[in-house]
């Protein structure tokens, strides 16, 4: 099993090292390109949301990323220093009245590409699992 923990201070500066760590583990564990794409997209959305919404772009706050990868399963957790949010309060971006609203798409994409997504109370930590078919 490959695993790690990264503390990110700036999403723009550290996204490449995050990819090198997590996606290298995904590739080394034998997951294909489609799996790599799914995990990359979900991870980028989770980290971007953590910095933008969770930490309110406060440069003094960090985002913690933890991961465990084995040949059958990828587990990723992303945690910010914000107060959290109620995932049930996020409008469904596919409803006609919400098509022009930019929020909610990241969570929708994470749920579409990962096998399991759970937002832990109080809403400042998301855990995602991707498993082989």
């Amino acid at each position: 099993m490959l695993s790690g923990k990264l503390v990110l201070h700036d999403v723009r500066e550290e996204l490449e090292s995050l990819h090198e760590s997590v996606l290298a583990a995904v590739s080394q564990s034998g997951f294909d390109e489609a799996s790599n794409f799914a995990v990359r997209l979900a991870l980028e959305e989770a980290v971007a949301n953590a910095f933008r919404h969770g930490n309110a772009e406060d440069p003094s706050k960090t985002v913690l990323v933890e991961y465990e990868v084995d040949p059958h399963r990828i587990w990723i957790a992303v945690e910010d220093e914000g107060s959290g949010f109620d995932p049930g309060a996020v409008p469904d971006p596919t409803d006609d009245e919400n098509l022009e609203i930019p929020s909610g798409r990241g969570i929708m994409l994470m749920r579409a590409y990962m096998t399991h997504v759970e937002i832990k109370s109080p809403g400042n930590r998301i855990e995602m699992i991707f498993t082989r078919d």
Side-chain angles (χ1 to χ4, degrees):
M1 176 183 339
L2 301 168
S3 63
K5 186 184 290 192
L6 300 126
V7 177
L8 307 177
H9 299 89
D10 185 313
V11 67
R12 289 170 284 283
E13 291 181 14
E14 296 173 299
L15 197 56
E16 194 59 39
S17 65
L18 176 65
H19 286 161
E20 288 173 7
S21 299
V22 178
L23 298 176
V26 170
S27 293
Q28 289 172 21
S29 295
F31 285 88
D32 63 12
E33 282 300 313
S35 302
N36 198 305
F37 173 83
V39 170
R40 180 184 186 124
L41 186 129
L43 179 60
E44 285 180 3
E45 287 293 337
V47 170
N49 283 350
F51 274 107
R52 185 178 309 119
H53 301 294
N55 288 351
E57 298 185 13
D58 181 341
S60 70
K61 293 182 177 179
T62 61
V63 171
L64 173 67
V65 177
E66 300 172 273
Y67 65 94
E68 293 176 355
V69 182
D70 67 38
H72 306 287
R73 178 179 159 278
I74 302 162
W75 173 84
I76 299 171
V78 177
E79 184 173 336
D80 60 59
E81 293 186 64
S83 59
F85 76 106
D86 176 6
V90 177
D92 181 346
T94 62
D95 286 346
D96 287 343
E97 66 271 11
N98 298 328
L99 292 177
E100 301 296 321
I101 299 172
S103 63
R105 286 174 176 71
I107 294 171
M108 181 187 73
L109 287 170
M110 287 180 253
R111 289 184 171 141
Y113 281 98
M114 299 299 280
T115 307
H116 178 76
V117 174
E118 183 176 357
I119 299 168
K120 300 287 195 172
S121 184
N124 69 329
R125 180 180 175 91
I126 188 164
E127 294 185 8
M128 304 180 287
I129 297 172
F130 184 93
T131 57
R132 288 191 192 266
D133 292 335

